[in-house]
Amino acid sequence: MSSERTIRFEEVSFRGLRESDNPVIAGIIRSCLAEFGVDKPGTVFTDPTTDDLHTLFQTQGARYFIADHPSGILGGGGIFPSRGLPPDTCELVKMYLRREARGIGLGRHLIALCIEEARKTGYRRVYIETMPELRQAVGIYERFGFRYLDGPMGDTGHFGCDVWMMLDL
């Protein structure tokens, strides 16, 4: 997708993840992490599930949303009942957008979709693991009411993340 074309929010639709989306969304996730200098072990950059999100999100209590544009997939984000979390808690996961799709409200909309899906699914809390390098995203999480935690929860395997947050629904 050319970054010369302006993306408008009203041109974007949101849908569930399809198997054919796997390579595109994995590419978006890894390019975002590389852009911010966090393409390192202990993050989704090296997580093997990043290449087959469709299979991963067949897990009960999981859902992944794609931001779709006539010119292609712009990004996505989801909720997942990560290993070791309490049964009433899901994790907000793999929330990434192409550079040209940022700043028009897509990230906020994806987060709101995920929070609403978490409520509908019966979760009472949403957990996030992230990194300080992703400052813009962290600021959005704060505006949604996520609070900082002193340490990680569960067993995600993402030891490269050192910012942990929680939202009570």
Side-chain angles (χ1 to χ4, degrees), residues 48-151:
T49 65
T50 300
D51 294 308
D52 190 8
L53 291 184
H54 183 265
T55 298
L56 180 67
F57 280 87
Q58 300 308 302
T59 302
Q60 184 174 345
R63 181 81 192 272
Y64 196 85
F65 296 98
I66 292 290
D68 210 356
H69 184 266
S71 61
I73 294 172
L74 300 175
I79 59 168
F80 193 82
S82 298
R83 183 176 51 236
L85 290 179
D88 70 345
T89 305
C90 66
E91 185 179 5
L92 183 67
V93 294
K94 296 163 178 63
M95 180 74 58
Y96 294 95
L97 291 170
R98 290 182 186 272
R99 180 182 302 172
E100 61 269 23
R102 296 181 209 142
I104 62 168
L106 294 182
R108 285 185 300 279
H109 190 76
L110 279 167
I111 293 167
L113 280 173
C114 289
I115 290 170
E116 182 57 29
E117 185 67 20
R119 279 190 181 104
K120 283 190 221 174
T121 304
Y123 292 114
R124 299 191 58 197
R125 300 183 303 170
V126 180
Y127 171 68
I128 299 173
E129 293 182 338
T130 190
M131 296 158 274
E133 292 87 351
L134 304 175
R135 279 182 292 286
Q136 188 173 5
V138 171
I140 293 169
Y141 301 145
E142 289 172 342
R143 287 191 288 285
F144 268 93
F146 282 85
R147 61 184 162 72
Y148 289 92
L149 301 175
D150 292 331

Side-chain angles (χ1 to χ4, degrees), residues 38-52:
V38 289
D39 49 342
K40 59 186 181 182
T43 68
V44 296
F45 190 86
T46 58
D47 187 334
T49 65
T50 300
D51 294 308
D52 190 8

